[in-house]
């Protein structure tokens, strides 16, 4: 009892001091200033009622918003009720790849709003076709064939090996490991200044591809991506055994050898007017053929006429190229005849009109003395 009385006396003294500090006339006014327990309960009840009414209002508003069961409204643009353009959800709903909705993909539409570039491409194509050597091809087993027997150094080399990762999607009796690709003697058949385009697939090939370029004496300068569409065959792709996403693109590493600058080497590299994307239809199961547009890009970019396509096939045979590989059914390659096509000039000769139209690097700024 004595301890309780002491606590009460201490509490009364504290209240008296607080009242004096607040300028109150009596201790009874202290309750109204500090809010009594009853007042706090009343305020808490009011807050709970307000929160409950807000929740009910949110629920009623949510009931008015329509539920999206598919992606039909997602593809109407930003004026639709849901303006997010969720092409990933659309792929789940319909099986259509997101790249199907990229506009102006064809060459006819791509440069429709750039007449100067379109005119440049037309004139370059005309000049390049006139300088082509006849279609040349050779059926050999690249595992045993010595590339030095080609007896020629090439300005542009495209390598499209049947990688092991294609086992589940393409039919090939001889899939190559990256260790075997690295053993190809590319450094012996590449010119002192030139380019290589190495298809790497869509998995670990990018790292192995860089190692190949380094071993062959090239520096990686670009990564060209093939973005796949499926306008003709709408289907869900089976997942890889260890994958959770579907791969809808493949990579082609571009390597450069020697010192080549557009500002000073206009005789060798010319009109860099193409983008680093190839938007093309996905091949059917069993076919690992790549977009032929890559060969067009090589012809527009590099003026060297000596072009080699390793691991080619009959569908790739075209003027201006030597196509080599086990999937080529016939051979007409003769080293002496082939080299005679480049005896006068190994480069494509341009015209004054092309020089006027082509994009040029700005002149180098000389340091002030």
């Amino acid at each position: 009892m004595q301890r309780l009385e002491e606590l009460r006396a201490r509490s009364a003294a504290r209240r008296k001091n607080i009242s004096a500090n607040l300028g109150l006339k009596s201790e009874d006014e202290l309750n109204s200033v500090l809010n009594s327990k009853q007042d706090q309960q009343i305020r808490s009840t009011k807050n709970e009622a307000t929160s409950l009414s807000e929740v009910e209002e949110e629920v009623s508003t949510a009931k008015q918003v329509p539920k999206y069961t598919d992606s039909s409204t997602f593809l109407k643009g930003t004026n639709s009720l849901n303006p997010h353009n969720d092409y990933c959800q659309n792929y789940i709903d319909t099986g259509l790849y997101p790249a199907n909705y990229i506009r102006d993909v064809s060459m006819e539409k791509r440069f429709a709003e750039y007449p100067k570039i379109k005119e440049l491409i037309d004139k370059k194509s005309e000049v390049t076709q006139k300088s082509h050597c006849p279609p040349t091809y050779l059926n050999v087993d690249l595992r045993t064939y010595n590339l030095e027997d080609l007896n020629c150094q090439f300005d542009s080399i495209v390598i499209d090996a049947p990688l092991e990762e294609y086992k589940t999607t393409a039919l090939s009796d001889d899939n190559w490991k990256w260790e075997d690709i690295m053993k190809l003697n590319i450094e012996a058949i590449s010119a002192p200044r030139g380019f290589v385009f190495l298809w790497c697939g869509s998995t670990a090939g990018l790292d192995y591809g860089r190692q190949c370029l380094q071993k062959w004496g090239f520096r990686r300068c670009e990564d060209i991506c093939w973005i796949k569409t499926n306008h003709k065959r709408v289907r869900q792709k089976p997942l890889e055994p260890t994958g959770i996403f579907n791969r809808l693109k493949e990579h082609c590493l571009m390597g450069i050898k020697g010192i080549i600058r557009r500002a000073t080497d206009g005789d060798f590299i010319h009109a860099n007017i193409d983008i680093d994307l190839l938007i093309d239809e996905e091949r059917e199961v069993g076919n690992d053929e790549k977009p032929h547009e890559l060969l067009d890009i090589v012809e527009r970019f590099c003026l060297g006429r000596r072009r080699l396509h390793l691991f080619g096939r009959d569908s790739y045979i075209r003027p201006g190229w030597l196509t080599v590989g086990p999937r080529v059914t016939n051979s007409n390659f003769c080293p002496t005849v082939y080299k005679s096509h480049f005896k006068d000039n190994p480069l494509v000769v341009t015209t004054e009109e092309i020089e006027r139209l082509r994009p040029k690097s700005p002149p180098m700024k000389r340091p002030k003395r």
Side-chain angles (χ1 to χ4, degrees):
M1 291 296 292
Q2 185 177 358
R3 175 62 177 168
L4 181 59
E5 291 179 359
E6 291 178 356
L7 292 175
R8 287 177 177 175
R10 188 180 302 174
S11 176
R14 188 185 309 114
R15 290 174 63 86
K16 185 177 181 180
N17 291 334
I18 294 174
S19 300
N21 292 333
L22 295 177
L24 302 177
K25 297 180 179 180
S26 64
E27 297 179 14
D28 297 334
E29 298 180 4
L30 186 61
N31 290 339
S32 61
V33 174
L34 298 180
N35 291 328
S36 64
K37 186 179 295 185
Q38 184 178 2
D39 294 335
Q40 293 178 1
Q41 292 177 352
I42 295 173
R43 178 173 296 180
S44 176
T45 303
K46 289 182 179 179
N47 290 339
E48 291 177 358
T50 304
S51 301
L52 182 59
S53 62
E54 291 177 353
V55 171
E56 291 177 350
E57 183 179 355
E58 291 178 359
V59 170
S60 62
T61 304
K63 290 181 180 179
Q64 299 174 2
V65 178
K67 294 182 179 180
Y68 298 98
T69 57
D70 57 34
S71 58
S72 59
T73 57
F74 287 37
L75 307 178
K76 296 179 182 178
T78 54
N79 293 327
S80 64
L81 295 176
N82 192 323
H84 298 302
N85 294 325
D86 193 340
Y87 295 106
C88 295
Q89 180 63 46
N90 180 64
Y91 168 66
I92 296 174
D93 297 336
T94 64
L96 292 170
Y97 293 170
N100 289 6
Y101 301 95
I102 300 177
R103 299 180 300 175
D104 302 333
V105 173
S106 64
M107 288 295 296
E108 295 77 14
K109 297 180 179 179
R110 190 180 307 172
F111 301 106
E113 298 181 2
Y114 305 93
K116 184 178 178 181
I117 296 180
K118 189 175 185 304
E119 182 183 1
L120 172 62
I121 291 177
D122 294 339
K123 292 184 178 298
K124 278 189 63 68
S125 299
E126 181 181 353
V127 172
T128 303
Q129 290 174 6
K130 291 181 180 179
S131 66
H132 281 334
C133 66
T136 312
Y137 38 93
L138 177 64
N139 172 261
V140 293
D141 183 1
L142 290 173
R143 289 190 182 273
T144 58
Y145 182 75
N146 184 6
L147 292 177
E148 294 187 41
D149 291 342
L150 295 175
N151 195 24
C152 183
Q153 289 188 326
F154 297 89
D155 305 306
S156 302
I157 303 174
V158 175
I159 303 174
D160 181 14
L163 303 175
E164 280 198 322
E165 74 171 73
Y166 298 150
K167 281 183 177 180
T168 58
T169 58
L171 301 178
S172 177
D173 298 331
D174 186 20
N175 293 103
W176 281 56
K177 296 181 180 180
W178 280 104
E179 293 80 3
D180 301 327
I181 298 174
M182 196 174 298
K183 293 177 183 178
L184 292 172
N185 195 10
I186 303 299
E187 56 267 36
I189 61 172
S190 56
R193 58 175 185 173
F195 300 95
V196 65
F197 299 82
L198 175 61
W199 281 104
C200 301
S202 58
T203 55
L206 282 173
D207 293 332
Y208 289 115
R210 292 186 180 95
Q211 296 176 25
C212 290
L213 296 184
Q214 185 176 9
K215 187 260 181 183
W216 298 333
F218 288 82
R219 307 182 307 278
R220 188 195 73 84
C221 61
E222 194 64 78
D223 180 1
I224 302 174
C225 287
W226 171 22
I227 309 298
K228 300 179 181 181
T229 61
N230 66 340
H231 294 285
K232 300 177 182 178
R233 288 173 296 278
V234 179
R235 59 180 174 83
Q236 294 283 0
K237 291 184 63 175
L239 286 174
E240 298 179 7
T242 59
I244 59 175
F245 296 107
N246 284 327
R247 302 180 185 275
L248 305 181
K249 68 180 187 321
E250 293 191 32
H251 297 267
C252 177
L253 288 181
M254 176 182 174
I256 183 173
K257 182 179 181 180
I259 300 175
I260 305 175
R261 296 187 178 92
R262 192 171 65 176
T264 57
D265 296 279
D267 64 320
F268 191 68
I269 57 173
H270 205 253
N272 187 13
I273 55 179
D274 293 284
I275 61 176
D276 55 0
L277 293 178
L278 301 171
I279 304 172
D280 196 22
E281 189 75 4
E282 182 182 40
R283 306 301 185 250
E284 64 274 8
V285 176
N287 184 2
D288 62 348
E289 189 172 329
K290 306 301 189 301
H292 290 219
E293 186 183 349
L294 177 66
L295 306 184
D296 298 329
I297 292 176
V298 174
E299 293 177 3
R300 284 194 290 268
F301 177 70
C302 180
L303 295 180
R305 298 172 55 212
R306 300 169 297 183
R307 309 181 189 98
L308 173 65
H309 189 178
L310 291 179
F311 299 97
R313 64 206 78 188
D314 291 342
S315 59
Y316 280 112
I317 294 175
R318 56 192 282 169
W321 288 81
L322 169 58
T323 307
V324 179
R327 289 183 280 188
V328 178
T329 56
N330 295 304
S331 299
N332 70 346
F333 173 71
C334 174
T336 304
V337 175
Y338 182 74
K339 291 183 67 175
S340 66
H341 297 305
F342 315 106
K343 184 177 180 181
D344 295 334
N345 189 359
L347 302 176
V348 177
V349 179
T350 64
T351 63
E352 294 182 359
E353 187 67 14
I354 292 177
E355 289 296 320
R356 181 185 67 82
L357 293 171
R358 76 178 182 93
K360 303 176 183 64
S361 298
M364 297 179 62
K365 294 182 179 180
R366 297 181 178 180
K368 295 182 180 180
R369 294 182 179 180

